[in-house]
Amino acid sequence: MSIEPEIRETLGKINVAASGRTLANLNLLRGIEVKPDKIKISVAGAGLSASSQQILRQDISLCLKPLLNKQTLEIEYISVPLNELNHVKKVVAVMSGKGGVGKSLMTGLCAVALNRQGYRVGILDADITGSSIPKMFGANQHLAGNEEAILPAQSRAGISLVSTNLLLANQDDAVIWRGPLISKMINQFWDDVLWGELDYMVVDLPPGTSDASLTVLQSLPISGILVVFTPQGLVEMVARKAVSMAEKMGKPIIGLVENMAYLKVPELDKKIEVFGTGHGEELAKSIGVPFIGQMPLDPALAALCDSGDIEKYQHPLLDELEGAISRS
């Protein structure tokens, strides 16, 4: 009886220290050869520094020691194209017609909602000049890697994160780039990062319908778009522009989310519609797309984002977001 399946299962559970994910999750285990006198393991070296490769080599040797029957163990690192290692099942983009409506917030909440259901999730922060995703998740480590690939950062709950802020020496530094350079960086985040096996990638688009958004919609295999807006007539108008762009690009709309819809005051048992009465359902109906729900102005959520703890947030809308995305 071959012991290859047992070896594969054992090695797949090894945590790759440099990434915070398992060998199987990163899809780095590429070959197992079992002979009477030798067991040979082939591992893709993408994204792993020399020290990380050495640590992984030691972990593999330790895990396989009980399975060796007078056999020698050979571990080799090989070069494998990233398009053979990255398997992303669905790519969801979060879009808005303008800035300041909470698009990045919804991106983070979508990822949190999906992660809670056991899905493997990554966030590609395409808001190159206005990145806020790392702050929400408390991620401040610089992205690591080697000449073959960049390794994403990991949130506390295991969400993979890639953002320009994780490349800067100082996260307060401004990114002053022209459109072509921004588009190139977005493509690099897709092409040059070791994402491994993901069920969902959530892309935080920059506001509006400019070059960067066009790059994402043209270059990435977008399976659906979530549009975020706030309850103001002007914002509703630009939300229609975002939906129009998605439709012209042939991308399906998952639904609309109305953010900052109201402020709940528990002491008064009252909801205050700070920006006016919401018309989310009517707007969605008039456009012909689903309405997912409303998100209030919540000081508790703001505090969690400021402290890097968005993954602790609880609200019924998260279940609605997960359901809408998983059904799309």
Side-chain angles (χ1 to χ4, degrees):
M1 180 181 295
S2 173
I3 64 170
E4 181 179 331
E6 186 178 359
I7 292 174
R8 186 172 298 278
E9 182 180 2
T10 299
L11 295 185
K13 296 175 182 177
I14 292 177
N15 191 61
V16 181
S19 71
R21 295 168 67 188
T22 65
L23 199 60
N25 195 250
L26 287 171
N27 208 18
L28 292 178
L29 182 60
R30 306 310 296 170
I32 300 172
E33 186 179 349
V34 179
K35 293 184 177 181
D37 62 335
K38 181 175 70 173
I39 293 177
K40 182 178 179 180
I41 307 297
S42 298
V43 179
L48 304 181
S49 65
S51 60
S52 296
Q53 290 184 11
Q54 182 58 32
I55 292 171
L56 182 57
R57 185 186 297 273
Q58 293 170 354
D59 290 341
I60 290 173
S61 299
L62 187 62
C63 283
L64 292 187
K65 189 174 182 180
L67 300 179
L68 296 175
N69 184 21
K70 297 183 180 179
Q71 297 151 305
T72 60
L73 176 62
E74 180 182 341
I75 302 169
E76 68 168 353
Y77 284 99
I78 60 176
S79 181
V80 179
L82 277 177
N83 59 11
E84 294 183 21
L85 302 177
N86 289 339
H87 297 149
V88 182
K89 293 180 181 177
K90 285 189 175 183
V91 182
V92 175
V94 181
M95 190 176 190
S96 67
K98 67 184 295 297
V101 299
K103 169 189 50 60
S104 296
L105 175 68
M106 286 302 152
T107 298
L109 292 177
C110 286
V112 169
L114 291 165
N115 177 261
R116 285 179 182 170
Q117 296 303 313
Y119 293 113
R120 296 164 297 185
V121 184
I123 296 179
L124 190 159
D125 187 357
D127 194 354
I128 302 298
T129 61
S131 172
S132 56
I133 291 294
K135 173 72 173 178
M136 293 180 192
F137 285 88
N140 50 28
Q141 67 270 44
H142 285 96
L143 297 178
N146 61 11
E147 65 280 356
E148 292 185 60
I150 300 167
L151 287 177
Q154 295 293 301
S155 75
R156 296 180 183 91
I159 297 171
S160 296
L161 310 170
V162 170
S163 169
T164 47
N165 259 27
L166 300 176
L167 295 170
L168 301 176
N170 182 349
Q171 291 198 7
D172 293 333
D173 289 344
V175 179
I176 308 172
W177 292 350
R178 295 190 184 277
L181 191 55
I182 290 174
S183 295
K184 183 179 179 181
M185 178 59 76
I186 292 171
N187 283 323
Q188 284 187 299
F189 282 170
W190 174 257
D191 294 329
D192 297 343
V193 171
L194 177 61
W195 293 104
E197 301 281 349
L198 288 182
D199 297 305
Y200 289 97
M201 177 183 289
V202 187
V203 182
D204 183 18
L205 288 176
T209 55
S210 61
D211 281 358
S213 296
L214 188 61
T215 295
V216 173
L217 298 185
Q218 287 182 328
S219 304
L220 274 59
I222 302 296
S223 53
I225 295 176
L226 189 80
V227 177
V228 183
F229 67 102
T230 54
Q232 299 142 294
L234 175 63
V235 178
E236 291 178 9
M237 179 192 72
V238 292
R240 289 178 183 271
K241 291 180 182 290
V243 172
S244 174
M245 179 182 186
E247 291 175 342
K248 288 178 180 178
M249 299 295 296
K251 305 300 181 182
I253 302 294
I254 295 171
L256 306 186
V257 176
E258 190 170 35
N259 192 29
M260 308 182 203
Y262 59 86
L263 174 65
K264 191 171 184 180
V265 185
E267 294 81 1
L268 302 176
D269 191 25
K270 184 177 180 180
K271 291 182 179 179
I272 301 175
E273 295 174 324
V274 180
F275 298 114
T277 302
H279 301 285
E281 291 189 62
E282 293 92 333
L283 176 63
K285 186 176 180 180
S286 69
I287 297 174
V289 299
F291 180 62
I292 298 174
Q294 293 181 321
M295 173 62 73
L297 276 166
D298 190 344
L301 175 56
L304 288 173
C305 289
D306 285 344
S307 62
D309 290 318
I310 190 175
E311 290 167 301
K312 294 180 180 179
Y313 188 63
Q314 302 287 340
H315 191 277
L317 183 65
L318 271 68
D319 293 331
E320 299 299 326
L321 288 170
E322 184 276 325
I325 294 171
S326 61
R327 289 191 299 268
S328 65

